[in-house]
Amino acid sequence: KNLNDFFQVLTRSWDKNSKPGISPKNLKISSSENTIIFYLNADVFKREAIEYQLIKDDKIYREWNANDYDNNFIWLKDLSPGKYKLKLRYRAQRQNVSTYDFEITPQWQQTTTFKIIAGSLIAAFVGFIVLLVRAQKQKQKIKEAQLNKEKLQVNLQSLRSQLNPHFIFNALNSIQSLINKKDTDAANKYLTDFSNLLRQSLQYNDKTFIPLSIEKQMLETYLQLEQLRFHFTYNITITEENLLHKEVPVL
């Protein structure tokens, strides 16, 4: 950035055993030192007299253009890792081209091997996260399915407890008996009450609480059905009318 500082560094670092104008063969520089200054050991009267092209990995990195720094210096800044060819020519003699090969070697984290390993590790990590998320979702689905199964079992047990097989068998026998006696009116009423009781039991089967008025209605229907068989009397007394709006657990 500062020409005077550059010349001071150049003077301190000049190899006493090397001769000006002779460049090292097979020059390799680490990517941590990727700024190169080429000194042209020739009488260049102006910088525009020199043109250069830069090729990286057999592809044009910089097209032919006049030197944009100094008469005898070509400054290449911030080069990425790769194999380069610096081609030089006089503007007045473009048919004569000189080529200089050099290489910017990558640091360990820039190598293909490292990128492959890092990519594999990242892919493995992402895959692990995806599998973990899927496993959690699958576990949640299994848990939900188990809860639904338990709920269905509880509902089925509740339904079975409400629809007592012995009561259903006796009710159907009673209806058949009324039909055999040709007591059509009684059979129809018995069948209607029995159907209503079944419908109400199924309707409120999934409820936790129901109004006391509904519970009272279902109980009365049940007692009326049993009354047709056993000929007993009953009475349901509610001390306060507003209690009918209260909810009670479903048994």
Side-chain angles (χ1 to χ4, degrees):
K1 295 180 181 180
N2 187 290
L3 188 58
N4 292 329
D5 292 342
F6 161 67
F7 279 115
Q8 291 178 9
V9 174
L10 181 64
T11 303
R12 290 197 304 267
S13 63
W14 192 268
D15 187 355
K16 296 180 180 180
N17 296 324
S18 65
K19 296 180 181 180
I22 299 179
S23 301
K25 295 181 179 180
N26 301 322
L27 175 64
K28 291 185 178 182
I29 302 176
S30 172
S31 60
S32 61
E33 299 176 346
N34 57 355
T35 296
I36 306 175
I37 300 172
F38 288 93
Y39 171 72
L40 306 180
N41 188 16
D43 295 329
V44 181
F45 62 94
K46 63 177 180 178
R47 64 182 184 181
E48 291 83 2
I50 296 295
E51 295 179 340
Y52 73 91
Q53 181 191 53
L54 191 61
I55 296 177
K56 176 189 176 184
D57 298 328
D58 298 325
K59 295 181 180 180
I60 296 178
Y61 189 79
R62 182 187 188 275
E63 291 286 358
W64 283 106
N65 210 333
N67 186 13
D68 51 6
Y69 178 64
D70 187 77
N71 293 9
N72 289 84
F73 292 98
I74 295 178
W75 199 325
L76 305 179
K77 299 180 181 180
D78 301 325
L79 299 178
S80 58
K83 293 183 178 181
Y84 290 86
K85 290 181 182 291
L86 176 62
K87 294 187 176 183
L88 299 166
R89 70 187 181 187
Y90 284 103
R91 186 175 181 182
Q93 300 177 8
R94 289 178 173 171
Q95 71 277 9
N96 297 323
V97 178
S98 298
T99 302
Y100 181 72
D101 296 330
F102 66 96
E103 181 179 356
I104 303 293
T105 58
Q107 300 184 54
W108 63 271
Q109 70 271 20
Q110 297 174 314
T111 60
T112 303
T113 302
F114 173 79
K115 291 179 180 179
I116 293 175
I117 294 175
S120 300
L121 291 176
I122 292 174
F125 178 74
V126 172
F128 172 76
I129 295 298
V130 171
L131 291 177
L132 184 62
V133 171
R134 288 183 177 178
Q136 289 294 335
K137 289 183 178 180
Q138 187 66 22
K139 185 177 180 180
Q140 184 65 24
K141 288 182 179 180
I142 294 175
K143 184 177 180 180
E144 292 177 357
Q146 183 65 27
L147 291 175
N148 290 334
K149 181 180 179 181
E150 293 176 358
K151 183 179 179 180
L152 290 174
Q153 289 176 345
V154 171
N155 290 339
L156 183 60
Q157 291 175 357
S158 175
L159 181 62
R160 287 174 178 173
S161 65
Q162 293 180 29
L163 301 180
N164 187 289
H166 181 68
F167 165 74
I168 294 175
F169 178 78
N170 290 335
L172 293 177
N173 279 341
S174 297
I175 295 174
Q176 184 180 24
S177 176
L178 291 173
I179 294 174
N180 292 335
K181 292 179 181 179
K182 297 183 180 181
D183 191 351
T184 307
D185 293 338
N188 287 336
K189 183 179 185 306
Y190 201 102
L191 184 60
T192 300
D193 292 341
F194 180 70
S195 299
N196 288 334
L197 182 62
L198 290 180
R199 178 180 58 80
Q200 290 174 334
S201 297
L202 293 174
Q203 180 179 357
Y204 297 103
N205 179 63
D206 58 343
K207 305 293 184 181
T208 305
F209 293 88
I210 60 174
L212 181 59
S213 58
I214 301 298
E215 179 70 19
K216 175 177 176 293
Q217 181 181 353
M218 294 174 63
L219 181 60
E220 285 183 341
T221 303
Y222 173 78
L223 291 175
Q224 289 172 5
L225 291 174
E226 293 287 25
Q227 190 181 43
L228 290 175
R229 293 193 304 120
F230 297 108
H231 306 290
F232 62 87
T233 60
Y234 70 90
N235 183 39
I236 299 177
T237 303
I238 298 179
T239 57
E240 298 180 15
E241 190 69 22
N242 61 348
L243 289 178
L244 291 175
H245 302 292
K246 301 293 183 180
E247 290 188 339
V248 294
V250 178
L251 301 178

